[in-house]
Structure formats: structure tokens, C-alpha cells
């Protein structure tokens, strides 16, 4: 396995090295809150409506790029966790298994709707394991929001009943879990092969299934990896040209929630590094685009429904050197 220091090195595509032209790669990261808007009922129909919006935008981007899609799973894995607790005949399934379930669920919906829009294209959903450090500092300081939003009274009851940690997400409270940083994409060879075959690849879903090394190989880790950090690791390993983070926010804002709030439309990694953003929401997205832009790519943050405009720099936030 490659050392951690080598993971950020560009990978040379074999076809390109032989002089065969292939479209550049774009990594598109879809936020779990964009696919299931906060405050909306967590129904299949609500999610499907947003998946259709994503599929239409991806179809346009695919005209010029080979695409790897990473999606979030915060609302979805939280819902699975609640359903998991409702059945009391057996012990609840661990969080890494629920992440895998959400990968399959969301990946299926995305693959089907993308192929409905692009019937001649091949679309593959790949359950993806990502190596993390079992002793990551986030294990002691959870920051990753999952599940629904609650008012003060609801949050207190659920926290006491289930031994959950709750933190504020805007005007609401949500459950938070550990979010270890991604170190290595275990299934990278499969992603490479699918993209070389010019398939649209849905991978690293929900940030990927967190695993760590043990004496008996890999084992699951109780956490949810931030999908934006996984998307950046993927984009760097693929030597992608662009990283597009689509969420339920239309841009990166300074002084968010105040009368002085203002959108950042263009920034360099150094400029963006001057500001602090919440660890449980915009913070990882900003960290991701800074990392990828510093690596030499071009990164964007914007609203799911304006994906093409974000990529064309007519909307959202663009970060580059």
C-alpha cells in the first residue's frame, strides 16, 4: 500500500501516457443535505426529486469530462440509525455498516436517474472502503452532523434515551458523530479502471466506509467520513482537473447569518485560509477546496440546482491559484 505522503501525488492515466485522448476528469461531490434538504420529510419522493436535479446537471458536465461522483449521507445515515434503533430484537448494526447501506441506497438512485438521462452511458456504483486512523482525534470530539433536525426538547429526550451527542446546526440541534479524516482509498484500482473505461463512477459515497488496519486485515470504524475531504483525496489521486462541491448553499459566505453577510465569488487558497467556518457544515467544504486548489486544481462550491452555472463561474464560489 502506498505511504501516506505518496497519496497526494498525481496518477498518470495509462491511455493518456500512450497518446490516446481522453476527456479530463471532474470530481462532483453532492451534499447529503442537497439530496435531502434540511427540514424536509426524509421521504423517498423528496430525495428522488433532488436526485433528478443532480442527474440533469451531471449529464451536462459529462459532455466535457469523465466524472467521478461522491455523495454525502448525513440525513440518510441518520435516518437509517433511527430505523436501526426501532428494532429491539437484536443489537443495532454498527455505523460503518449503515454507511455502506446508505452508499447502496443513494448510489442506486443516482445511477438509475443518470442513466435515464444518459441511456447510452455506463454508470457504476462502487461500494468504497476508505482507510482512517482508529485513534483520530474526532473520535473524542464528534463534529459530523447526521440525521434530522430537532428542537431543544426533542433533542434532549433523544440524547438521553440513546446516549447521543447533540450540537447546534443553525437554529436547530442535530446528532453528531465522529468524523475521522480519510487517509487512503482502499478500492482505488477499481475506480481507475472504471474511469479508464469512460464510465460515470459513483464512489466514496457518504465519504466512504471507514475502515482501519488490524491484525486480521481491515475492520470497520464507528464514524462517518466527511464526503468533501474524501472527494478531495479522490480528486488528487485521480489528478482531476476540477472539483465541484454541490450543496444546499449557493456560495461560501462571510459573516453568515448577520446583516453583513456577503458571498465570496472568487478566492485563492491563501485568501480563503484567513477565515474560520463551522466544523460541522461549511468548514470541511472550505478545507477541501483549499486543499485541492493548492494542489493545482480548480475547485467550486455552490448550489445543486445551479451546478452548470457554478462550473461556468456564474454562480457559487470558485477557488484557484
Amino acid at each position: 500500500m502506498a505511504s501516506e505522503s505518496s497519496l497526494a501525488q498525481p496518477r498518470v492515466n495509462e491511455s493518456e501516457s500512450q497518446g490516446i485522448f481522453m476527456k479530463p476528469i471532474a470530481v462532483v461531490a453532492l451534499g447529503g443535505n442537497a439530496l435531502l434538504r434540511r427540514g424536509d420529510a426524509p421521504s423517498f419522493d423528496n430525495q428522488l426529486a433532488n436526485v433528478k436535479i443532480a442527474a440533469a446537471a451531471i449529464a451536462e458536465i459529462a459532455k466535457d469530462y469523465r466524472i467521478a461522483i461522491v455523495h454525502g449521507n448525513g440525513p440518510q445515515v441518520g435516518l437509517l440509525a433511527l430505523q436501526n434503533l426501532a428494532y429491539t430484537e437484536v443489537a443495532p448494526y454498527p455505523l460503518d455498516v449503515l454507511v455502506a447501506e446508505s452508499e447502496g441506497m443513494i448510489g442506486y438512485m443516482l445511477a438509475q436517474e443518470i442513466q435515464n438521462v444518459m441511456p447510452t452511458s455506463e454508470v457504476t456504483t462502487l461500494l468504497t472502503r476508505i482507510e482512517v486512523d482508529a485513534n483520530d482525534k474526532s473520535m473524542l470530539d464528534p463534529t459530523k452532523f447526521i440525521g434530522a433536525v430537532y428542537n431543544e426538547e426533542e433533542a434532549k429526550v433523544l440524547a438521553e434515551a440513546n446516549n447521543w451527542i447533540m450540537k447546534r446546526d443553525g437554529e436547530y440541534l442535530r446528532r453528531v458523530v465522529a468524523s475521522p479524516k480519510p487517509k487512503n482509498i482502499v478500492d482505488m484500482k477499481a475506480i481507475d479502471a472504471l474511469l479508464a473505461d469512460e464510465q460515470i463512477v459513483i464512489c466514496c459515497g457518504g465519504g466512504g466506509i471507514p475502515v482501519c488496519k488490524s491484525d486480521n486485515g481491515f475492520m470497520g470504524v464507528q464514524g462517518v467520513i466527511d464526503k468533501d475531504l474524501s472527494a478531495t483525496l479522490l480528486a488528487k489521486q485521480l489528478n482531476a482537473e476540477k472539483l465541484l462541491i454541490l450543496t444546499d448553499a449557493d456560495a461560501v459566505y462571510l459573516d453568515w447569518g448577520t446583516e453583513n453577510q456577503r458571498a465570496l465569488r472568487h478566492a485563492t487558497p491563501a485568501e480563503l485560509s484567513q477565515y474560520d467556518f463551522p466544523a460541522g457544515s461549511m468548514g470541511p467544504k472550505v478545507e477541501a477546496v483549499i486543499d485541492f486548489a493548492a494542489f493545482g486544481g480548480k475547485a467550486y462550491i455552490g448550489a445543486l440546482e445551479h451546478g452548470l452555472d457554478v462550473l461556468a463561474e456564474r454562480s457559487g464560489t470558485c477557488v484557484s491559484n
Side-chain angles (χ1 to χ4, degrees), residues 58-269:
I58 288 165
E60 290 298 316
I61 297 169
K63 293 177 181 178
D64 298 314
Y65 296 91
R66 287 178 287 155
I67 296 179
I69 302 166
V70 179
H71 61 77
N73 70 342
Q76 296 84 355
V77 78
L79 176 61
L80 288 173
L82 285 170
Q83 293 171 336
N84 194 32
L85 286 171
Y87 186 73
T88 58
E89 298 299 317
V90 297
Y93 276 49
L95 200 50
D96 56 302
V97 174
L98 301 185
V99 170
E101 287 186 30
S102 71
E103 271 196 294
M105 175 179 68
I106 300 170
Y108 154 69
M109 295 175 70
L110 282 168
Q112 180 153 280
E113 293 308 316
I114 291 169
Q115 199 148 44
N116 284 344
V117 178
M118 306 173 63
T120 61
S121 297
E122 293 294 329
V123 186
T124 295
T125 296
L126 180 69
L127 292 181
T128 315
R129 296 163 296 161
I130 293 188
E131 184 183 356
V132 300
D133 185 349
N135 296 313
D136 189 285
K137 63 181 181 180
S138 73
M139 305 309 254
L140 299 176
D141 182 22
T143 59
K144 178 65 176 175
F145 289 114
I146 67 169
V149 295
Y150 303 102
N151 60 34
E152 297 272 358
E153 184 177 347
E154 292 170 328
K156 182 178 180 181
V157 170
L158 286 166
E160 291 178 354
N162 301 309
N163 197 29
W164 288 355
I165 298 173
M166 296 285 195
K167 290 186 179 179
R168 189 160 294 281
D169 183 11
E171 61 182 301
Y172 300 102
L173 289 161
R174 289 178 76 189
R175 181 187 175 189
V176 289
V177 298
S179 184
K181 289 194 174 183
K183 294 173 55 181
N184 182 42
I185 300 171
V186 178
D187 302 295
M188 193 67 207
K189 285 185 178 180
I191 297 170
D192 276 333
L194 292 165
L195 285 171
D197 193 44
E198 298 192 323
Q199 296 196 37
I200 293 173
V201 186
I202 302 164
C203 58
C204 305
I209 304 164
V211 298
C212 68
K213 288 182 179 178
S214 73
D215 292 338
N216 298 311
F218 286 109
M219 61 179 290
V221 172
Q222 295 303 293
V224 177
I225 305 170
D226 187 90
K227 68 99 180 37
D228 299 311
L229 301 185
S230 292
T232 299
L233 176 60
L234 176 66
K236 289 164 67 174
Q237 288 195 299
L238 290 171
N239 199 25
E241 185 175 290
K242 296 187 175 181
L243 170 64
L244 180 61
I245 296 178
L246 299 178
T247 182
D248 59 348
D250 65 348
V252 177
Y253 280 82
L254 299 180
D255 300 319
W256 173 254
T258 73
E259 61 182 15
N260 297 318
Q261 74 177 37
R262 59 197 188 280
L264 278 175
R265 295 302 179 190
H266 293 85
T268 65

Side-chain angles (χ1 to χ4, degrees), residues 34 37 50 53-54 57 246-248 250 302-310:
R37 304 302 173 103
N50 291 314
I53 294 172
L246 299 178
T247 182
D248 59 348
D250 65 348
L304 173 62
E305 60 268 28
H306 302 308
L308 286 175
D309 286 334
V310 174

Side-chain angles (χ1 to χ4, degrees), residues 17 47 59 68 83 100 132 220 285:
S17 68
Q47 184 161 285
Q83 293 171 336
V132 300
K285 296 173 178 57

